[in-house]
Structure formats: structure tokens, C-alpha cells
Amino acid sequence: AQKITQTQPGMFVQEKEAVTLDCTYDTSDPSYGLFWYKQPSSGEMIFLIYQGSYDQQNATEGRYSLNFQKARKSANLVISASQLGDSAMYFCAMREAQGAQKLVFGQGTRLTINP
Amino acid sequence: DAGVIQSPRHEVTEMGQEVTLRCKPISGHNSLFWYRQTMMRGLELLIYFNNNVPIDDSGMPEDRFSAKMPNASFSTLKIQPSEPRDSAVYFCASVFSGTSVDNEQFFGPGTRLTVL
């Protein structure tokens, strides 16, 4: 069964607009962590933001925030005031406490910011 | 810290040849992961080590693939013999694994492998 689902293969957004990238997950482990990574065209994997299953508040890191809806098992990434440099692949990933630190990745969303 | 180091960055080889990819994790990290990324299959976990011991190699595609971690600062992924379908970007990542789930995995720059 797919543990991480990213339903948007591609998204196109105008510069300066906010964008939401969807991620849903499936786990029975009460303790887990959710991660978002960015992969620009240069290929490196860049960590963006983390949300723990027991965190009461949504995580934020600069222009990135995570809309965590535990009951719905969703962890959407919100990028405010998008910039041309935000164009990249974005991956959602999950680590379960019982998963021995293994990260499971979604298929990714390719975000394109138009000027 | 230099981050996770991978070599070579690019490798072009002919079918049937042996390929060895190398990884140096971040000092102090005790878990190391090998991933493969392709357009068709996305990012796949091949194998991971904890304290130099292979924990889960269920993602290794077949016997042609093998991985070792002789010490805490070095790991190799070997493909022998290589085939064109092995062409992909191979990432190494490391993390300090404790009891928490919040530790960020740090990725190396990847090795782009092309098998002709």
C-alpha cells in the first residue's frame, strides 16, 4: 500500500502567488515524522520542513509552512509569495517510529513558477 | 562539515562492466541509506545501514547489486554486471538515528550513472 501520496504530478503558479502542494499519508504508528524536500534541476535534495505527529502547531520555516491535518492524514506544504527559484520537484516523506529511521517518499510534485 | 560526500558524481560505463559507487556520511551519523532515482520509479530506497550493519536490503533490485559499510565513515554500492536499466541517479543519505523521528536525513549530491 502506498504510504505517501502526492496527487499533483505538476503545478503551474504565477510568481508571488501562494501555492499548496498536497501530501497524504497512511500509517498506524502513533509516532511519526513528516518531511518535505525540494529537488531543483541541479539534482540535490534539500530539506525544507519537518512536522512531528505529536506537534500541536503547524511547522513553519520562513516562506514554508506545513498544513498538518492529523485526522485527515494530510501534510500539505504551503509556499507563500512564490519566487522563480521555487521551481523544482517537491517530495513529501514520512518516517515511522517503528520504521527504524527509514524515510518513505512520495512520487513528488513538479512545481513551475511563471513570471 | 562537508556534508555527505559521494563519488564519482558522474559515471558512464558499458553494459557488463562493474560499477562501484562510494559514499562518506556525515561524521557522527550512525545510519546510512542508498536510494535510486529514476523518472519511472521515483525515489526508491535500496538498502540502509545502522551502526554499519545492513538492516533492510529489501529494496535491492537483484543479486547484481551489493552494498557494504566496512566502517562508520565509508560505504559502497556495487553493481556487477551493470545493465542499461541500472541507469539512474544514486543518492546516499545519512542521519543520526536515536529514539526520535525528527532527525533530518542529509543527502549527498548523487551519482548519475549511465550504462550504455
Side-chain angles (χ1 to χ4, degrees):
Chain A
Q2 189 76 2
K3 290 211 167 194
I4 296 286
T5 303
Q6 294 182 254
T7 57
Q8 307 150 311
M11 285 193 69
F12 294 85
V13 173
Q14 287 298 118
E15 190 180 8
K16 298 181 184 177
E17 289 184 354
V19 56
T20 298
L21 305 182
D22 295 340
C23 173
T24 57
Y25 59 92
D26 183 29
T27 181
S28 58
D29 192 333
S31 179
Y32 54 89
L34 297 157
F35 300 78
W36 278 92
Y37 282 83
K38 172 184 179 181
Q39 187 178 40
S41 57
S42 52
E44 71 266 34
M45 294 286 284
I46 302 168
F47 166 74
L48 294 178
I49 195 167
Y50 163 82
Q51 179 84 42
S53 60
Y54 293 120
D55 292 344
Q56 295 295 314
Q57 293 189 335
N58 288 341
T60 60
E61 288 287 348
R63 291 186 300 112
Y64 304 108
S65 61
L66 205 151
N67 184 0
F68 182 47
Q69 298 188 41
K70 195 169 181 177
R72 293 186 176 185
K73 293 188 176 178
S74 75
N76 299 339
L77 176 70
V78 180
I79 307 175
S80 64
S82 58
Q83 303 171 357
L84 296 179
D86 295 331
S87 294
M89 280 288 285
Y90 289 80
F91 292 95
C92 180
M94 177 176 66
R95 175 186 296 141
E96 297 165 307
Q98 298 178 18
Q101 300 296 329
K102 182 171 68 174
L103 267 184
V104 177
F105 284 84
Q107 287 297 99
T109 296
R110 182 170 296 281
L111 176 64
T112 302
I113 307 297
N114 295 317
Chain B
D1 200 322
V4 177
I5 299 172
Q6 290 186 249
S7 64
R9 295 292 307 276
H10 301 273
E11 176 81 31
V12 180
T13 191
E14 292 190 347
M15 183 174 62
Q17 296 297 306
E18 175 182 304
V19 175
T20 299
L21 311 182
R22 297 172 176 80
C23 176
K24 175 178 169 57
I26 292 173
S27 177
H29 285 183
N30 59 353
S31 289
L32 182 141
F33 304 78
W34 283 100
Y35 294 90
R36 178 173 68 176
Q37 186 178 33
T38 61
M39 288 292 292
M40 291 296 295
R41 301 177 68 92
L43 201 59
E44 303 173 274
L45 177 64
L46 299 178
I47 185 172
Y48 72 96
F49 297 83
N50 192 42
N51 294 323
N52 311 338
V53 175
I55 302 299
D56 183 354
D57 65 353
S58 59
M60 296 286 260
E62 46 197 278
D63 291 347
R64 298 184 297 104
F65 285 70
S66 63
K68 293 181 179 180
M69 192 165 186
N71 57 61
S73 59
F74 184 65
S75 177
T76 59
L77 178 67
K78 184 179 293 186
I79 308 172
Q80 181 185 18
S82 58
E83 296 182 3
R85 60 192 168 121
D86 301 331
S87 297
V89 178
Y90 291 81
F91 287 101
C92 176
S94 71
V95 66
F96 175 74
S97 293
T99 55
S100 170
V101 295
D102 65 353
N103 295 331
E104 170 198 346
Q105 253 185 43
F106 291 83
F107 281 77
T111 294
R112 182 173 295 276
L113 173 65
T114 303
V115 183
L116 303 174

